[in-house]
């Protein structure tokens, strides 16, 4: 679908989902986005990709990283924030990397104010001829984005077909850090991981994660939260999760950053991806009618 009529679409969305805390407007590249703003925090969410692009608790600095060279031109996915990888994580021969959801236009299904004054936006995506050409299944996908002091994302998959279907994916979140070489990730100590830089060889993490080069790993059998310790920005970001037993940690470092056309050469110094995942064997087979929810909760601690 074209975004040419974004202005009219925004007006219609503002009328249909009238809310003090959410406004629909044109963002980068003229693409429609929801701007959520309440007493506890702010966030922006693009309908392209169903992608949270920014999050800032009130009084705090931005938590998510967005590439200064991100391309806001569908069907290219947006480089930064939280791309939704679905219904698979990573490469799949003959198919798009990270699935089909991050390249598509999602629709708005609802908005609401929660009891704690946080604000919820519900986006949806269901199958059509385009999605079935890539992945021949009948599905309903919703992303519930709840913004307050925390940013909560619930990715809800329902199998609406008549046969079982396998679901993987990730909430592929780019976090801003002050300096990657001074950043430490806690919570994955002693965990086994698949090293994507070594043909998914199985290795074991010794101690917390520190960065001295490219990192691309799928940490296995770990359902607990992780924490990003950032002495430069003097903060700790907690990444909590539910419905996920794998966590992906990624930093492209120098060469891969230079090879990406939508990523500044020095961008790797101020970002790290912690991805709340259903990757490798951590996939869910959903019977007809069954649902799986993948949840990520981001907060400063
Ligand atoms: C990570 C993968 O999740 O995403 C990396 O582990 C990959 O291997 C990265 O390079 C970015 O992927 P893409 O498709 O957005 O360039």
């Amino acid at each position: 679908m074209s975004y040419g009529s974004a202005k009219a679409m925004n007006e219609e969305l503002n009328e249909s989902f009238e809310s003090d805390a959410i406004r629909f407007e044109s963002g980068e590249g003229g693409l429609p986005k929801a701007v959520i703003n309440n007493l506890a925090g702010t966030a922006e969410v693009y309908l392209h990709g169903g992608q949270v692009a920014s999050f800032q608790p009130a009084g705090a600095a931005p938590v998510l990283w967005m590439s200064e060279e991100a391309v806001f031109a569908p069907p290219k996915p947006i480089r930064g924030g939280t791309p939704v990888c679905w219904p698979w994580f990573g490469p799949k021969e003959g198919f798009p990397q990270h699935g089909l959801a991050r390249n598509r236009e999602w629709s708005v299904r609802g908005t609401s104010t929660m009891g704690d004054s946080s604000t919820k936006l519900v986006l949806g995506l269901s199958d059509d001829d385009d999605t079935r050409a890539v992945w021949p299944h009948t599905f309903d996908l919703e992303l519930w984005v709840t913004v307050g002091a925390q940013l909560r994302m619930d990715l809800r998959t329902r199998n609406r077909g008549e046969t079982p279907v396998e679901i993987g994916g990730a909430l592929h979140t780019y976090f801003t850090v002050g300096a990657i070489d001074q950043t430490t990730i806690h919570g994955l100590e002693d965990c086994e991981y698949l090293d994507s830089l070594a043909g998914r060889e199985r290795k074991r993490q010794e101690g917390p994660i520190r960065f001295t080069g490219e990192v691309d790993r799928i940490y296995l059998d770990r359902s607990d939260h992780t924490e990003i310790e950032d002495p430069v920005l003097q903060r700790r970001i907690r990444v909590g999760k539910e419905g996920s037993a794998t966590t992906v940690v990624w930093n492209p470092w120098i060469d891969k950053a230079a090879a990406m056309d939508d990523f500044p050469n020095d961008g790797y110094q101020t970002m790290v991806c912690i991805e709340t995942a259903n990757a490798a064997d951590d996939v869910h087979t959903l019977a007809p009618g069954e649902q799986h929810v993948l949840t990520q909760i981001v907060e400063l601690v």
Side-chain angles (χ1 to χ4, degrees):
M1 184 196 267
S2 125
Y3 289 91
S5 55
K7 192 158 177 260
M9 183 173 164
N10 289 328
E11 277 167 19
E12 204 180 307
L13 288 170
N14 282 319
E15 263 172 42
S16 311
F17 299 101
E18 203 189 326
S19 156
D20 288 345
I22 304 187
R23 275 207 60 77
F24 295 92
E25 54 186 65
S26 293
E28 299 286 337
L31 303 186
K33 68 177 179 184
V35 179
I36 304 173
N37 197 344
N38 58 39
L39 288 176
T42 61
E44 293 188 346
V45 187
Y46 280 80
L47 303 194
H48 175 50
Q51 192 151 337
V52 174
S54 65
F55 168 59
Q56 202 164 351
V63 173
L64 305 186
W65 183 88
M66 174 58 66
S67 170
E68 285 165 13
E69 295 177 10
V71 177
F72 292 81
K76 190 167 172 70
I78 301 167
R79 177 76 64 194
T82 304
V84 175
C85 304
W86 184 96
W88 59 83
F89 169 83
K92 186 171 171 180
E93 214 180 321
F95 295 93
Q97 158 125 318
H98 290 327
L100 56 86
R102 65 179 181 159
N103 311 83
R104 287 196 159 66
E105 183 192 2
W106 293 52
S107 60
V108 180
R109 294 200 177 160
T111 61
S112 50
T113 302
M114 314 301 283
D116 60 356
S117 0
S118 61
T119 309
K120 185 162 94 180
L121 169 70
V122 177
L123 300 182
L125 183 72
S126 40
D127 56 291
D128 58 20
D129 289 347
D130 273 5
T131 66
R132 286 188 295 268
V134 180
W135 194 64
H137 297 285
T138 308
F139 66 85
D140 190 67
L141 189 60
E142 283 194 343
L143 181 68
W144 296 7
V145 180
T146 309
V147 178
Q150 301 178 330
L151 169 67
R152 180 182 174 114
M153 281 174 256
D154 300 287
L155 182 67
R156 314 174 77 89
T157 304
R158 186 174 294 280
N159 178 4
R160 297 195 62 236
E162 284 166 6
T163 51
V165 70
E166 196 174 87
I167 299 295
L171 295 166
H172 184 312
T173 305
Y174 290 74
F175 292 94
T176 291
V177 296
I180 190 65
D181 57 1
Q182 294 184 55
T183 300
T184 308
I185 310 295
H186 299 273
L188 296 164
E189 292 80 356
D190 300 321
C191 195
E192 293 207 331
Y193 64 87
L194 303 179
D195 190 346
S196 301
L197 302 177
R200 292 205 171 176
E201 189 186 327
R202 206 176 174 106
K203 300 181 179 173
R204 180 178 288 276
Q205 177 67 37
E206 308 280 344
I209 305 169
R210 297 199 174 84
F211 298 85
T212 53
E214 186 179 354
V215 168
D216 193 351
R217 302 173 184 165
I218 302 170
Y219 285 87
L220 305 170
D221 302 322
R222 193 58 61 102
S223 305
D224 295 341
H225 70 273
T226 49
E227 274 186 23
I228 304 169
E229 183 191 344
D230 183 341
V232 176
L233 296 181
Q234 299 186 326
R235 67 182 185 185
R236 278 176 95 98
I237 303 171
R238 187 181 199 274
V239 187
K241 60 179 190 163
E242 293 162 20
S244 155
T246 38
T247 299
V248 176
V249 178
W250 179 58
N251 181 287
W253 216 252
I254 299 166
D255 293 347
K256 201 164 276 176
M260 285 183 279
D261 59 2
D262 57 355
F263 198 107
N265 286 353
D266 61 358
Y268 75 95
Q269 294 173 354
T270 53
M271 57 70 69
V272 65
C273 284
I274 304 289
E275 307 171 35
T276 296
N278 290 133
D281 290 341
D282 176 29
V283 287
H284 292 256
T285 301
L286 304 185
E290 209 180 341
Q291 177 175 264
H292 172 64
V293 185
L294 176 67
T295 297
Q296 176 178 264
I297 303 158
V298 172
E299 62 194 317
L300 297 177
V301 288

